[in-house]
Amino acid sequence: MNSETSQIATPAPAPLIDPFARPITYLRVSVTDRCDLRCVYCMAEDMTFLPKSEVLSLEELDRLCSRFVELGVRKLRLTGGEPLVRKNIMWLVQRLGRHLDSGALDELTLTSNGTQLAKYADQLADAGVRRINISLDTLDPAKFTAITRWGNLNQVMDGIAAARAAGLAIKINAVALRGVNDDELHRMVSWCGESGFDLTFIEVMPLGEIGEQRLDQYLPLSMVRADLEKRWTLTESDHATGGPARYFDVAETGQRLGFITPLTHNFCEACNRVRLTCTGTLYMCLGQEDAADLRAPLRASDDDTLLTEAIEEAIGRKPKGHDFVIDRRRNAPAVGRHMSVTGG
Ligand code: SAM
Ligand code: SF4
């Protein structure tokens, strides 16, 4: 390339725009429905996972994600299930890293339970991943095993240490669970403060049958925040992600604290995201059943014309918002699929 052409930057594609004038710039991809843990609020103990034949290959996932990037998506998040238990997942991460190199993608990131991070943190950093969300609901080893049904806290702590050593910025996600970790939330704020991690508390969401009583787990974050404000000085931050989190700066620690409150807040106006499952189903909203099958057009031809049409048609019916309710009469999930399908 001569010096003249190298200075002409490729213009970023105009993003897909939904019917409510929201640009769709963020794709979350569940790369597997499988997981090495069974968090009580997320999965039943005896989950039936998808047969491998239904799951997109890593090559197909690369093709789909890359098409979204060509259509204006600037941020990709790999999730699951547990993304790092998918065989050869680093191949996909490295492949997608080429869009960071070209400037087409601003960010490639993951949400992980941390169990495999000791093994993968360096490779993730080498592939261009700069930040990672790690889910951790408790700092107590026995409680961790109870919440995850069999997990080992030390393994996750080793993973967190490896991520930190690899230079990845870390955000801890903790689901606030009544009667489970509500006595530890202050401790988590100080631990994250000392460690240099941001922290986000998540309200439990009514997704999928899990064989537990949702109403028992539900802890409104308005209560959590009021309690935290007795000890910490929280100043609302203008940090916005287009997602369901509200952020505060914690004066005492200098770290950020977020609250994800899908049940008590309407966060849909600025929604910039869609979610792809590992079978190629695109959900336009976490809280609605409507979805589009992208696997059929993907497999129908090597040319991307049908796929592009299917994506554009799907974005054209992204709904205005969700209607989550923890139904007090039925106590049934508002949406039947589990979080491990769409990855949160
Ligand atoms: N396995 C990875 C992990 O745990 O980070 C990624 C997938 S997990 C489904 C993504 C996030 O969803 C985690 O932070 C988890 O705590 C959260 N989650 C799962 N089920 C949930 C539920 N019913 N309500 C709220 N958050 C949930
Ligand atoms: Fe696995 Fe993540 Fe669900 Fe826990 S929250 S069972 S780690 S997918």
Side-chain angles (χ1 to χ4, degrees):
M1 201 186 286
N2 66 38
S3 61
E4 205 173 302
T5 50
S6 67
Q7 282 169 12
I8 303 171
T10 317
L16 295 160
I17 306 286
D18 83 356
F20 303 95
R22 296 169 298 193
I24 305 306
T25 54
Y26 182 10
L27 176 68
R28 300 170 71 110
V29 186
S30 176
V31 298
T32 176
D33 64 329
R34 288 164 198 256
C35 187
D36 52 347
L37 301 179
R38 293 287 182 280
C39 302
V40 290
Y41 48 77
C42 179
M43 293 190 182
E45 188 161 7
D46 57 343
M47 289 290 284
T48 311
F49 294 112
L50 291 163
K52 289 215 170 83
S53 57
E54 286 195 25
V55 175
L56 296 182
S57 68
L58 294 173
E59 289 77 6
E60 288 173 324
L61 281 169
D62 176 38
R63 192 177 145 204
L64 250 176
C65 291
S66 298
R67 192 65 204 121
F68 272 97
V69 171
E70 286 155 14
L71 290 169
V73 158
R74 306 286 314 175
K75 175 170 173 179
L76 278 177
R77 176 178 299 277
L78 307 186
T79 174
E82 173 48 40
L84 297 180
V85 302
R86 172 104 196 226
K87 203 169 160 207
N88 286 334
I89 186 64
M90 286 313 304
W91 178 87
L92 181 65
V93 176
Q94 284 154 3
R95 281 289 294 167
L96 294 173
R98 75 190 185 280
H99 299 304
L100 294 169
D101 297 337
S102 76
L105 196 61
D106 295 329
E107 185 168 24
L108 173 61
T109 185
L110 284 90
T111 300
S112 168
N113 64 22
T115 60
Q116 310 301 314
L117 272 177
K119 184 169 158 197
Y120 289 127
D122 284 335
Q123 294 177 57
L124 290 171
D126 288 346
V129 173
R130 294 286 164 260
R131 302 191 301 157
I132 185 161
N133 288 359
I134 302 174
S135 304
L136 181 64
D137 305 327
T138 176
L139 297 171
D140 177 294
K143 245 190 236 180
F144 182 80
T145 303
I147 293 172
T148 59
R149 290 203 179 92
W150 54 64
N152 175 350
L153 181 63
N154 283 337
Q155 193 183 344
V156 174
M157 288 301 182
D158 289 349
I160 291 175
R164 201 177 175 184
L168 300 178
I170 295 171
K171 181 160 79 75
I172 300 292
N173 282 340
V175 178
L177 298 162
R178 188 163 72 185
V180 179
N181 62 2
D182 42 0
D183 59 338
E184 271 194 88
L185 304 180
H186 286 281
R187 191 173 158 218
M188 291 199 71
V189 174
S190 32
W191 176 72
C192 285
E194 288 154 17
S195 312
F197 306 153
D198 288 338
L199 170 64
T200 299
F201 288 120
I202 308 176
E203 225 163 53
V204 77
M205 289 183 248
L207 296 179
E209 288 292 354
I210 51 163
E212 301 269 334
Q213 294 289 306
R214 296 277 181 202
L215 287 173
D216 290 351
Q217 297 174 348
Y218 181 56
L219 173 62
L221 289 188
S222 51
M223 285 171 64
V224 171
R225 194 179 131 196
D227 181 44
L228 291 175
E229 281 181 323
K230 291 180 193 154
R231 178 163 155 205
W232 308 96
T233 315
L234 306 185
T235 317
E236 190 142 17
S237 136
D238 52 12
H239 181 72
T241 60
R246 276 176 80 193
Y247 286 97
F248 294 80
D249 294 316
V250 186
E252 290 81 358
T253 67
Q255 291 304 131
R256 211 178 277 147
L257 179 63
F259 296 94
I260 299 189
T261 55
L263 299 176
T264 52
H265 263 274
N266 199 340
F267 55 83
C268 305
E269 296 83 16
C271 183
N272 60 354
R273 61 196 60 191
V274 288
R275 294 173 166 81
L276 184 70
T277 72
C278 60
T279 58
T281 302
L282 188 74
Y283 284 96
M284 284 71 84
C285 172
L286 180 62
Q288 303 272 5
E289 299 282 5
D290 189 32
D293 173 31
L294 301 183
R295 187 175 58 185
L298 179 82
R299 289 185 173 169
S301 82
D302 290 338
D303 178 281
D304 281 341
T305 312
L306 290 175
L307 177 62
T308 305
E309 278 170 16
I311 293 173
E312 287 172 347
E313 189 276 331
I315 301 300
R317 55 191 164 90
K318 182 169 160 67
K320 193 168 181 195
H322 68 71
D323 32 48
F324 280 134
V325 190
I326 288 191
D327 190 312
R328 290 181 183 276
R329 280 159 299 138
R330 292 185 307 134
N331 196 19
V335 171
R337 64 183 185 273
H338 291 89
M339 188 71 111
S340 48
V341 173
T342 41

